[in-house]
Amino acid sequence: MKLIVTESYEESSRLLADMFEEVVAEKADAVLGLATGSSPIGLYRCLVQDFEAGKVDFSKVHTINLDEYEGLGRSHEQSFGYFMDQHFFSRVNIKKENIMLIDGAGKPEEQIRRYDEFLEKNPIDILVLGIGNNGHIGFNEPDRVFQAGTHLVELEEDTIKANARFFEKESDVPKRAVTMGMKGIVNAGKVVLIASGKAKAKAIHELFQDDIIDPMLPCSILKVCREAVVVVDRELYEQAENE
Ligand code: F6R
């Protein structure tokens, strides 16, 4: 697991975009693993800019997202599908049929089966991850064990509170979500985690403090990924050091 410290969130985002574009340049039909939330917004902004400048072509790529709230269909403004349409899919030339999303409004068992079948046949080439304040990746929350496959998860109180900023009120945040499990993440060719903001300092500190893989700190699974890069800006790095 490699740590890269940048001078700003913008620099981190640019670095990630370069990594994604390098993969697509080498493999036009690469499978891109994608996250939502605040962390990857800068990455999507850079990718859209470069697409508009003719520097990257997404016409053959496939995408798969990490997670989705239970009960929220793609047209719901707080769904991750809607987020992806707004920030990325509608702005580049990714083919509709090459986009793999969990349908939050669909039956979880069906979504889980569809996702795991896809991942079995199409391992991710490059995956972007954000990180929860509690160290979650995707919606793999701290737990006694890791779960390998895609699964339905009860969101932690802390996660619901952190994500309430996207909803009108905290009680609107769904209590459950479907998330890719650790198998899809560990099987990715390259995993890039981007973190910014002081709320992430404790999780980043714990991630680098030892060599232990602990389901209570889900991001620690990155230690067994083939190629994992953690990109943090200097402000967060310094906060994490002082934890
Ligand atoms: C979202 C996801 C989550 C977020 C995490 C951080 O698809 O997988 O793990 O990456 O909750 O969210 P932000 O970036 O909003 O702080």
Side-chain angles (χ1 to χ4, degrees):
M1 195 173 58
K2 189 169 145 193
L3 173 68
I4 299 181
V5 182
T6 66
E7 293 313 314
S8 65
Y9 171 72
E10 286 68 35
E11 191 188 333
S12 298
S13 302
R14 171 40 60 195
L15 191 70
L16 259 70
D18 291 347
M19 289 180 195
F20 267 71
E21 288 172 25
E22 201 178 301
V23 169
V24 175
E26 254 174 46
K27 188 178 173 193
D29 61 348
V31 180
L32 311 182
L34 304 175
T36 53
S38 307
S39 307
I41 288 181
L43 162 68
Y44 299 138
R45 202 183 301 127
C46 291
L47 292 176
V48 169
Q49 265 169 15
D50 291 349
F51 167 72
E52 285 169 354
K55 292 185 191 156
V56 56
D57 174 20
F58 296 105
S59 62
K60 294 199 177 71
V61 305
H62 290 256
T63 69
I64 179 161
N65 266 78
L66 281 163
D67 41 21
E68 182 60 273
Y69 289 119
E70 184 189 30
L72 305 194
R74 193 165 168 179
S75 58
H76 191 290
E77 282 186 23
Q78 265 70 42
S79 76
F80 291 162
Y82 189 91
F83 173 101
M84 290 309 302
D85 287 332
Q86 295 293 308
H87 291 278
F88 193 41
F89 296 150
S90 67
R91 297 167 182 243
V92 296
N93 65 339
I94 293 178
K95 293 207 174 83
K96 276 199 180 73
E97 60 272 27
N98 289 352
I99 293 171
M100 187 73 176
L101 285 166
I102 293 160
D103 175 8
K107 284 208 177 91
E109 318 81 73
E110 271 169 35
Q111 304 302 313
I112 289 169
R113 186 185 39 75
R114 206 167 54 85
Y115 243 52
D116 285 341
E117 273 174 21
F118 178 89
L119 285 166
E120 201 60 43
K121 290 192 204 118
N122 310 281
I124 295 169
D125 291 291
I126 183 164
L127 167 67
V128 59
L129 296 176
I131 181 172
N133 301 348
N134 61 7
H136 75 212
I137 50 176
F139 273 142
N140 292 277
E141 296 280 37
D143 201 349
R144 199 174 45 80
V145 291
F146 285 123
Q147 222 157 309
T150 304
H151 58 283
L152 189 61
V153 64
E154 302 277 341
L155 297 176
E156 286 223 329
E157 203 50 48
D158 187 53
T159 301
I160 292 173
K161 277 203 165 55
N163 288 2
R165 68 188 194 278
F166 297 113
F167 292 80
E168 222 168 87
K169 47 188 191 310
E170 196 177 308
S171 57
D172 290 344
V173 184
K175 306 281 177 287
R176 302 203 297 180
V178 175
T179 184
M180 188 185 294
M182 293 309 191
K183 193 174 172 192
I185 295 174
V186 170
N187 277 342
K190 183 168 184 151
V191 179
V192 201
L193 184 148
I194 177 168
S196 180
K198 62 172 186 285
K200 312 285 169 78
K202 185 168 173 280
I204 294 295
H205 171 80
E206 287 176 355
L207 176 61
F208 284 97
Q209 76 178 352
D210 54 35
D211 205 23
I212 289 168
I213 298 158
D214 179 359
M216 289 306 289
L217 185 72
C219 58
S220 64
I221 197 82
L222 261 67
K223 295 172 194 172
V224 293
C225 288
R226 239 170 301 167
E227 193 184 345
V229 187
V230 176
V231 182
V232 302
D233 47 61
R234 185 154 309 277
E235 201 184 355
L236 170 56
Y237 177 73
E238 282 166 8
Q239 268 155 357
E241 269 197 323
N242 292 328
E243 273 294 314

